[in-house]
Amino acid sequence: MMARSMNPDQAVFIVDDDPAVRDALSVVFSLEGYDVETFDNGDAFLSALPNLPQACVLLDVHMPGRSGMEILRALGPDTYTAPIFIISGQGDIPMAVAAVKAGAFDFIEKPFDAETVVARVRDGIDTVKRRIEADQMGATEHPDLQLLTPREREVLEQITAGASNKEAGRTLGISPRTIEVHRARIMEKLGAKNAADLVRIVLSGSERGADAR
């Protein structure tokens, strides 16, 4: 069976066991001109993958059989380079760190707004394209990381290690509230929209720096 002819920049794969979620997202993206494929479990998606182009994936965390995180790890960030969004009712920092390290681009929290989801998918596709171009140009550390103070870098290190505000505060000897303030400033300086975006910026910068060495 030959791979389907689809434009990767205009295709979306929805993997969710909830038919209402699949139908809603399918209608929204179809109306926006995207070519949509839906799957009710992760293994069905993996089975179909050899005949599909690498395109954006919306992947639910909690599904019968293998979880979204297990499917995410099976895809692998080195082999599946298109943006993968984890759909979850919880978007805490430790989960964001684990998901981004496993290759996720971002979180979409339930309940979600259709227009917001479409905007974030567009942003994800554009960001991945820019990242690939930056890698080809030999870019290293994210330039805005240089704007951080030494304390902000310490806080950022704790965040990307998956520490909660309380754990980071205990390690650094400051209050959880102070950690929150530092985190807000860090996100503003780096232009991060949320925790997953922040972790992705740092990890991508670290990977490029390592490759440059």
Side-chain angles (χ1 to χ4, degrees):
M1 183 177 177
M2 295 181 64
R4 282 192 54 186
S5 177
M6 303 169 72
N7 178 358
D9 292 345
Q10 286 296 123
V12 176
F13 304 134
I14 300 164
V15 187
D16 197 307
D17 65 309
D18 187 337
V21 173
R22 293 198 307 272
D23 291 346
L25 289 174
S26 181
V27 168
V28 168
F29 280 101
S30 294
L31 289 174
E32 292 293 329
Y34 287 84
D35 197 348
V36 182
E37 286 278 349
T38 64
F39 304 88
D40 60 7
N41 65 81
D43 287 313
F45 172 59
L46 292 182
S47 296
L49 200 57
N51 300 308
L52 298 170
Q54 287 203 3
C56 182
V57 181
L58 303 180
L59 180 63
D60 189 31
V61 168
H62 302 293
M63 295 183 290
R66 284 198 280 181
S67 70
M69 289 297 292
E70 290 176 306
I71 298 301
L72 178 63
R73 295 188 182 97
L75 291 171
D78 293 331
T79 55
Y80 200 93
T81 57
I84 302 172
F85 288 82
I86 290 292
I87 302 176
S88 174
Q90 300 179 17
D92 56 75
I93 291 176
M95 182 182 288
V97 172
V100 173
K101 285 185 175 179
F105 181 84
D106 203 351
F107 278 93
I108 293 176
E109 295 185 54
K110 295 178 181 179
F112 49 76
D113 174 78
E115 291 183 5
T116 301
V117 173
V118 171
R120 288 169 70 177
V121 164
R122 283 176 177 158
D123 178 65
I125 293 171
D126 290 342
T127 299
V128 168
K129 289 174 65 176
R130 290 196 301 269
R131 182 192 303 167
I132 292 173
E133 292 171 357
D135 289 342
Q136 292 172 342
M137 293 174 62
T140 56
E141 184 180 73
H142 192 289
D144 291 338
L145 286 173
Q146 299 174 15
L147 300 175
L148 303 184
T149 66
R151 174 60 90 184
E152 288 169 347
R153 281 181 174 266
E154 290 177 340
V155 171
L156 183 57
E157 183 178 344
Q158 292 296 312
I159 293 173
T160 54
S164 65
N165 289 342
K166 184 179 293 185
E167 292 168 338
R170 188 182 304 118
T171 299
L172 299 177
I174 55 181
S175 71
R177 175 56 184 161
T178 303
I179 293 291
E180 290 181 10
V181 172
H182 281 305
R183 188 176 71 184
R185 290 175 179 169
I186 292 167
M187 292 178 68
E188 181 179 357
K189 288 182 178 180
L190 298 184
K193 301 178 183 64
N194 49 44
D197 197 24
L198 177 62
V199 174
R200 185 180 63 253
I201 287 171
V202 175
L203 291 180
S204 63
S206 299
E207 290 167 1
R208 288 198 296 268
D211 291 341
R213 290 194 296 273

